[in-house]
Amino acid sequence: MDNRDEVREFLTSRRARVSPEQAGLPDGRWTRPPRARSFVRNGRMDIVAVNPLGRAFHREVYATPANQENLARFPFLDPASRRFYPDWDLFADVAVAILRTEAGRNPYDKDLHDLVGELSTRSEELRTRWGAHNVRRHGTGRKRFHHDVVGDLTLAFEGLEMAAEPGLTMTIYAAEPGSASEESLRLLASWAATHEGPSPAQQSTTG
């Protein structure tokens, strides 16, 4: 992607300006943690930019080169996703819905057609869901994760479409102050700061 550096700069600056309410943290009960987990994806669910905590959080996505830093390949082709996503069926449904939304927005995207064709060939779970023709917006809510370094987390998220870059969405995650999930994010940030990278694959990427 030619504007990868520009997107990364946008990610850093935009994250600093997002209020708790914009990040899906209502009623003053949540605050932005010192280090928010955030990343930018395109409609094919390729991760095109990510902050250090976001990369550490998705270390299992990066650990397998065959995932190609793609959040649709990961759940349907990588067995590690079943552990990372305790609510795997929900994540699988959302991934297909995002791909279907992108197919409607950009029906002539060859890379998207190739991705869906690959997943359809290799995953019965994808084929079944694709046939359901489900399309939904992936905006705000809470999700559960199991990270192999810091364990279980429940995080609120907000997806922000980037008006300056149509087709790109920045997703920000945050934990409830004082919760075990907030402590886990802090531990993960500390872990990431003391390692060269969460996986060998990270050192071969530029995003």
Side-chain angles (χ1 to χ4, degrees):
M1 180 175 179
D2 294 337
N3 65 342
R4 186 183 295 263
D5 291 337
E6 180 181 351
V7 171
R8 188 181 298 109
E9 291 173 6
F10 179 93
L11 171 65
T12 302
S13 62
R14 183 67 177 86
R15 175 169 59 88
R17 297 198 301 270
V18 173
S19 69
E21 291 77 14
Q22 288 174 311
L25 314 178
D27 303 327
R29 294 181 293 107
W30 299 61
T31 58
R32 184 170 57 243
R35 300 177 180 87
R37 180 172 81 81
S38 53
F39 64 92
V40 174
R41 64 162 178 82
N42 60 23
R44 296 185 301 274
M45 301 191 73
D46 299 314
I47 300 175
V48 299
V50 63
N51 70 356
L53 183 54
R55 183 180 288 275
F57 195 90
H58 287 103
R59 69 188 302 264
E60 291 189 273
V61 178
Y62 290 97
T64 303
N67 290 330
Q68 298 182 44
E69 303 178 24
N70 181 273
L71 294 174
R73 284 190 180 90
F74 180 58
F76 291 110
L77 302 182
D78 192 332
S81 67
R82 299 276 182 167
R83 179 180 62 251
F84 184 65
Y85 300 131
D87 304 310
W88 184 90
D89 285 320
L90 171 63
F91 279 86
D93 289 343
V94 169
V96 172
I98 291 173
L99 294 179
R100 273 213 166 272
T101 299
E102 179 65 8
R105 188 188 72 85
N106 191 3
Y108 303 109
D109 185 338
K110 182 181 182 301
D111 291 335
L112 176 62
H113 284 287
D114 289 346
L115 173 62
V116 173
E118 174 193 357
L119 297 179
S120 297
T121 299
R122 301 177 62 187
S123 171
E124 182 178 356
E125 296 277 9
L126 182 283
R127 290 196 300 273
T128 300
R129 287 170 168 80
W130 192 260
H133 297 274
N134 181 30
V135 177
R136 74 170 82 172
R137 291 186 62 83
H138 183 61
T140 63
R142 300 183 188 182
K143 293 180 178 179
R144 297 193 305 145
F145 303 89
H146 179 82
H147 193 275
D148 65 336
V149 173
V150 298
D152 295 330
L153 304 96
T154 298
L155 304 175
F157 72 92
E158 171 79 6
L160 305 170
E161 294 185 4
M162 298 172 61
E165 295 290 343
L168 296 185
T169 300
M170 180 171 68
T171 302
I172 300 173
Y173 285 85
E176 183 177 9
S179 67
S181 294
E182 183 187 45
E183 179 61 22
S184 293
L185 280 184
R186 292 181 185 277
L187 289 173
L188 181 60
S190 177
W191 179 89
T194 58
H195 290 71
E196 291 184 359
S199 72
Q202 174 184 341
Q203 299 180 15
S204 66
T205 65
T206 57

